[in-house]
Amino acid sequence: DIQMTQSPSSLSASVGDRVTITCRASQSISRYLNWYQQKPGKAPKLLIYAASSLQSGVPSRFSGSGSGTDFTLIISSLQPEDFATYYCQESYTTPRALTFGGGTKVEIK
Amino acid sequence: QVQLVESGGHVVQPGGSLTLSCAASGFIFSDYGIHWVRQAPGKGLEWVTFIETDGRQKDYADPVKGRFVISRDNSKNTLYLQMNSLRNDDTAVYYCVRRERASLSRTYYYFFDYWGQGTLVTVSS
């Protein structure tokens, strides 16, 4: 099974900061990587698919990059509504598994 | 608009059974593979099971294999998850999730584009 490791597990940042979250796969997954945002008590929301394609309606301050085993989610200028937990997910093993990373909690500094 | 509405979450004793339902609307249900994803209290997301459009292909995560059964009724636009031999560590919010795909450079990429609001299953004596 593919393992997905996110880092950091949590971070503190201020409004306006540039935030970088990384996700590493235990084997090459090409660009089969998705990112989700989850706020407390809510279902996750898709941000990015195929490593760098922005889902419709998602602000352009969110961007994704990477291929193979190493991927990055960047929030270019953190906004108050971006404080949440972010998860990466591999889709290399579709239709099964689609393993998630452990999550990165972005908190207010 | 696309909606997925889960129901059936309850408190159940260890070893008990429960069936969750997910009612879909706003899209052609039979065109989409559907997954269940769960989240234990304070924990991350865990993929549970999947069913293909026609119901013939299914897959399960190892922790639930042999205990959970996924099914769908395309005539009723409804997905089911039958959960047997429940354990304390099955306690979680269970989400019904639609799998979408996109074609980029002649390659298909899959992702979860719509999620239900979740239903809480608590396994406790």
Side-chain angles (χ1 to χ4, degrees):
Chain A
D1 288 359
I2 298 174
Q3 309 300 319
M4 306 300 294
T5 303
Q6 286 183 237
S7 61
S9 57
S10 66
L11 65 90
S12 295
S14 300
V15 173
D17 284 354
R18 178 183 176 92
V19 170
T20 301
I21 298 169
T22 64
C23 178
R24 175 164 289 175
S26 60
Q27 67 180 70
S28 177
I29 57 170
S30 184
R31 295 176 61 81
Y32 294 95
L33 192 284
N34 307 319
W35 289 99
Y36 299 85
Q37 175 194 65
Q38 186 180 33
K39 297 181 179 179
K42 300 292 187 183
K45 170 188 171 184
L46 176 69
L47 297 177
I48 287 169
Y49 61 93
S52 62
S53 294
L54 199 65
Q55 171 69 347
S56 176
V58 174
S60 58
R61 64 180 178 272
F62 291 94
S63 64
S65 64
S67 66
T69 61
D70 294 313
F71 301 87
T72 301
L73 173 70
I74 291 175
I75 309 173
S76 60
S77 178
L78 196 66
Q79 297 301 300
E81 60 267 31
D82 300 336
F83 292 97
T85 300
Y86 293 84
Y87 294 92
C88 64
Q89 177 200 40
E90 61 85 11
S91 63
Y92 184 81
T93 51
T94 301
R96 77 178 312 272
L98 290 94
T99 306
F100 292 92
T104 296
K105 187 174 184 179
V106 177
E107 299 176 297
I108 302 172
K109 183 182 284 185
Chain B
Q1 72 282 20
V2 172
Q3 278 198 303
L4 297 164
V5 180
E6 304 94 335
S7 61
H10 218 271
V11 179
V12 60
Q13 291 190 338
S17 297
L18 199 61
T19 298
L20 305 182
S21 299
C22 171
S25 60
F27 66 102
I28 302 173
F29 182 66
S30 58
D31 282 353
Y32 289 85
I34 306 289
H35 297 246
W36 287 98
V37 173
R38 69 184 180 183
Q39 186 169 36
K43 302 297 185 183
L45 301 169
E46 180 186 21
W47 174 80
V48 176
T49 181
F50 157 79
I51 188 166
E52 197 43 276
T53 54
D54 59 4
R56 280 192 269 187
Q57 185 178 3
K58 307 174 185 180
D59 206 355
Y60 300 90
D62 288 342
V64 308
K65 200 170 291 185
R67 301 188 298 122
F68 289 13
V69 178
I70 190 172
S71 61
R72 65 191 296 164
D73 185 338
N74 287 343
S75 68
K76 295 182 178 178
N77 291 344
T78 304
L79 176 77
Y80 304 98
L81 182 63
Q82 182 180 342
M83 311 164 67
N84 303 314
S85 302
L86 283 161
R87 310 188 303 219
N88 293 103
D89 60 2
D90 293 319
T91 294
V93 173
Y94 285 74
Y95 294 103
C96 166
V97 188
R98 189 180 86 164
R99 184 199 69 187
E100 176 62 290
R101 76 178 186 183
S103 177
L104 299 171
S105 302
R106 287 185 282 183
T107 299
Y108 284 122
Y109 294 89
Y110 292 86
F111 45 89
F112 295 160
D113 64 341
Y114 284 95
W115 298 62
Q117 84 287 352
T119 188
L120 177 61
V121 174
T122 302
V123 183
S124 174
S125 54

